[in-house]
């Protein structure tokens, strides 16, 4: 039996310079210049503008889970470092005791209702997540059983061997809440039941939220005394709020607005989000692999990076981009690609959504490039919620979307299975290829970090070899930040924004 032990000491040594995690314990520098292991004094409240309002009544299982994580409200047993490895959060260490069982040792912490984080409470939270409908994306295809083990341990057993369980448990959708969060009916509530440095005091519809500092946070007293969050869908309005001093931090500044802000107020970071062109392999012209090759060779991603993203992106290299730090050195060249056919005016419908302001412009450039190659292209742009069901049903010939490849679990294999296999739940290309399924299957069964990464890149090569997906650009995230603010947390997975060390 192989046993792996991860201790928090090595995590702290590696992570402190990166300043990525919302609750990383350690020393923060107070405005007066003194260092305190307990965090800062009673600092100013932070004014934050977020791009997306709560969409699911603050459910910890869906899209709102990431919102809660970005505001420093919720935490899971683990988190991810800049290289995608699992590091301690509510669990201070863990070890694999068998192929299907892991034991996690909890740190001393309390929920925001004052109760202790106990093995029974953690087991209950994870059990509720497994019973959610629909289940959290991080648990897609996974069956697990969680039980307390002694005074500070929790034992998690999966139906099948799961070598990436510690990474999976870092997902914002697997945050741990106090027992009282789970009523007999309805969605679990994170209000006053989470473990992060900030707790929700009030939510005003979809317009704003008030958060106060949680003074008993295990990672030390947060510098800011609270957060006043506004949900501002319009990117121009978020940029204006930074420029006029109306907010201290604004996430997701559109590329087109970046030039309007003082350079000193711009912070950027690479992300694991890739904008791609998905080609419908089941019906329409792109059922023909030779026409998919014609579409791929027509795309000039460097023109997109320069013209649309204005340099705040890297040209599409694969499903995984530069922010996945190990990917480029392990990338495998696709083999056995078909030869391109002449489009001869083949008519296609290209769709995208306007929730991300750069995507319609990307689609217009791609439309022009495909038309120049000989395709006839009709462009359709909708709000995402009105587009997704049709895209999944294969009603478009091509689809442009932005996908964070490591958001759900941090495991590179997970997104390949969900997006490009016959049974994938988010298979926009409707790809069903035996070679791809075998390659992804091998990656799923591979243990060991390096070996799993190698298998993931081999599966990526198999997918790219079908030309079902054309990577267009690997995006950077841009935030507007007041020059008075320090400690904003921009991580590659877009899970964090404000934490205990964020201050002004």
């Amino acid at each position: 039996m192989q046993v792996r032990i991860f201790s928090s000491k090595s995590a702290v040594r590696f992570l402190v310079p990166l300043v990525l995690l919302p609750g990383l314990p350690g020393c923060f520098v107070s405005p007066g210049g003194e260092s305190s292991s307990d965090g800062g004094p009673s600092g100013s409240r932070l004014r934050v503008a977020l791009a997306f309002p709560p969409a699911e009544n603050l459910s910890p299982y869906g899209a709102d889970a990431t919102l809660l994580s970005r505001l420093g409200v919720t935490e899971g047993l683990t988190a991810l470092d800049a290289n995608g490895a699992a590091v301690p959060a509510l669990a201070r260490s863990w070890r694999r005791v068998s192929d299907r069982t892991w034991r996690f040792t909890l740190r001393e912490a309390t929920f925001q209702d004052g109760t202790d984080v106990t093995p029974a409470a953690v087991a209950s939270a994870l059990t509720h997540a497994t019973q959610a409908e629909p289940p959290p994306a991080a648990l897609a295809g996974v069956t697990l059983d969680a039980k307390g083990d002694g005074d500070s341990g929790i034992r998690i057993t999966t139906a099948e061997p799961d070598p990436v369980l510690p990474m999976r448990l870092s997902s914002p959708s697997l945050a741990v809440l106090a027992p009282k969060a789970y009523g007999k009916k309805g969605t679990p509530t994170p209000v006053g039941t989470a473990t992060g440095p900030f707790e929700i005091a009030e939510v005003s519809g979809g317009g704003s939220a008030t958060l106060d500092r949680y003074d008993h946070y295990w990672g030390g007293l947060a510098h800011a005394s609270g957060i006043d969050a506004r949900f501002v869908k319009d990117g121009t309005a978020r940029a204006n709020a930074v420029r006029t001093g109306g907010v201290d931090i604004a996430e997701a500044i559109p590329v087109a607005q970046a030039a309007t802000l003082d350079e000193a107020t711009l912070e950027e970071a690479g992300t694991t989000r890739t904008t791609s062109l998905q080609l419908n392999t089941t019906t329409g012209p792109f059922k023909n692999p030779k026409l998919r090759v014609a579409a791929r060779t027509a795309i000039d991603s460097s023109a997109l990076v320069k013209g649309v993203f204005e340099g705040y992106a890297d040209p599409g290299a694969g499903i995984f981009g530069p922010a996945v730090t190990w990917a480029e050195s392990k990338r495998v060249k696709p083999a056995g690609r078909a030869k391109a056919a002449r489009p001869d005016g083949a008519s296609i419908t290209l769709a995208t959504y306007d929730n991300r302001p750069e995507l319609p412009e990307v689609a217009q450039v791609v439309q022009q490039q495909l038309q120049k190659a000989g395709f006839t292209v009709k462009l359709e742009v909708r709000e995402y919620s009105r587009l997704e069901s049709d895209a999944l049903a294969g009603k478009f010939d091509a689809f442009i979307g932005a996908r964070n490849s490591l958001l759900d679990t941090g495991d590179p294999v997970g997104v390949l299975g969900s997006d490009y296999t016959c049974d994938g739940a988010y298979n926009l290309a409707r790809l069903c290829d035996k070679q791809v399924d075998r390659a992804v299957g091998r990656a799923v069964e591979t243990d060991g970090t390096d070996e799993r990464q190698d298998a993931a890149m081999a599966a990526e090569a198999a997918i790219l070899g079908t030309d079902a997906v054309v990577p267009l650009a690997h995006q950077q995230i841009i935030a507007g930040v007041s020059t008075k603010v320090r400690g904003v947390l921009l991580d590659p997975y877009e899970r964090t924004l404000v934490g205990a060390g964020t201050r002004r």
Side-chain angles (χ1 to χ4, degrees), residues 29 58 66 69 111 124 153-154 185 202 209 217 238 369 448-449 494 497:
V29 178
L58 293 178
T66 305
S69 175
F111 293 108
S124 175
I154 180 167
K185 296 181 180 179
E202 181 182 1
Y217 177 54
R238 291 196 301 276
Q369 292 179 348
T449 301
E494 302 176 68
L497 183 65

Side-chain angles (χ1 to χ4, degrees), residues 1-5 95-99 101-102 447-448:
M1 178 180 69
Q2 187 178 16
V3 177
R4 295 186 178 89
I5 299 177
R95 61 188 176 93
R96 192 173 187 177
V97 298
S98 71
D99 283 349
T101 301
W102 296 72
D447 202 347

Side-chain angles (χ1 to χ4, degrees), residues 21-384:
L21 300 179
L24 186 66
C27 295
F28 299 104
V29 178
S30 70
E34 297 181 356
S35 174
S36 169
S37 61
D38 294 326
S42 182
S44 302
R45 295 182 65 85
L46 294 168
R47 301 164 300 165
V48 179
L50 301 174
F52 296 97
E56 299 165 335
N57 197 29
L58 293 178
S59 167
Y61 302 138
D64 290 355
T66 305
L67 184 155
L68 295 167
S69 175
R70 286 175 183 162
L71 288 174
V73 175
T74 55
E75 301 171 302
L77 288 179
T78 63
L80 294 181
D81 70 14
N83 293 317
V87 294
L90 289 176
R92 57 183 175 85
S93 64
W94 53 87
R95 61 188 176 93
R96 192 173 187 177
V97 298
S98 71
D99 283 349
R100 298 190 300 112
T101 301
W102 296 72
R103 188 184 189 278
F104 293 78
T105 301
L106 303 178
R107 67 173 73 252
E108 291 186 8
T110 59
F111 293 108
Q112 292 165 354
D113 64 359
T115 60
D116 290 336
V117 176
T118 63
V122 173
S124 175
L126 292 177
T127 299
H128 277 93
T130 66
Q131 298 170 347
E133 291 293 342
L139 292 180
V142 175
T143 301
L144 63 80
D145 178 67
K147 296 183 184 304
D149 185 12
D151 293 337
S152 62
I154 180 167
R155 191 171 289 258
I156 302 177
T157 301
T158 55
E160 301 292 335
D162 188 4
V164 297
L165 182 65
M167 296 167 62
R168 189 181 307 282
L169 294 173
S170 73
S171 171
S173 64
L174 297 181
V176 176
L177 303 179
K180 82 171 189 179
Y182 308 95
K184 293 182 179 180
K185 296 181 180 179
T187 301
T189 176
V191 179
T193 63
T195 61
F198 297 101
E199 59 180 317
I200 299 170
E202 181 182 1
V203 178
S204 300
S208 64
T210 302
L211 293 81
D212 293 331
R213 179 172 57 199
Y214 177 51
D215 290 342
H216 302 288
Y217 177 54
W218 64 263
L221 195 66
H223 278 276
S225 58
I227 300 172
D228 297 315
R230 293 162 49 194
F231 305 108
V232 184
K233 293 182 180 180
D234 184 75
T236 300
R238 291 196 301 276
N240 286 339
V242 174
R243 186 167 47 250
T244 60
V247 299
D248 301 306
I249 304 167
E251 70 169 0
I253 297 296
V255 169
Q257 292 298 316
T260 70
L261 295 179
D262 188 313
E263 187 174 348
T265 65
L266 290 177
E267 292 196 19
E268 59 189 88
T271 74
T272 56
R273 183 175 297 278
T274 296
T275 296
S276 298
L277 173 67
Q278 309 280 346
L279 303 178
N280 188 336
T281 62
T282 302
T283 60
F286 291 128
K287 184 177 181 180
N288 181 348
K290 294 183 178 182
L291 285 180
R292 298 200 296 270
V293 176
R296 170 176 56 83
T297 55
I299 301 300
D300 180 1
S301 61
S302 61
L304 290 168
V305 168
K306 182 178 179 180
V308 178
F309 293 100
E310 299 181 22
Y312 290 102
D314 295 289
I319 296 171
F320 305 108
V324 183
T325 55
W326 47 264
E328 189 57 39
S329 64
K330 294 175 177 283
R331 201 174 307 279
V332 179
K333 185 177 181 179
R337 277 175 154 162
K339 293 184 178 180
R342 292 172 58 90
D344 291 332
S347 181
I348 61 172
T349 299
L350 170 64
T352 194
Y353 47 97
D354 56 10
N355 302 69
R356 293 189 173 274
E358 71 279 359
L359 291 185
E361 189 175 353
V362 169
Q364 290 175 359
V365 174
V366 170
Q367 178 187 34
Q368 294 167 5
Q369 292 179 348
L370 291 175
Q371 287 174 335
K372 185 177 180 180
F375 290 95
T376 300
V377 186
K378 175 186 176 183
L379 180 59
E380 188 162 337
V381 179
R382 302 182 201 164
E383 197 273 335
Y384 183 79

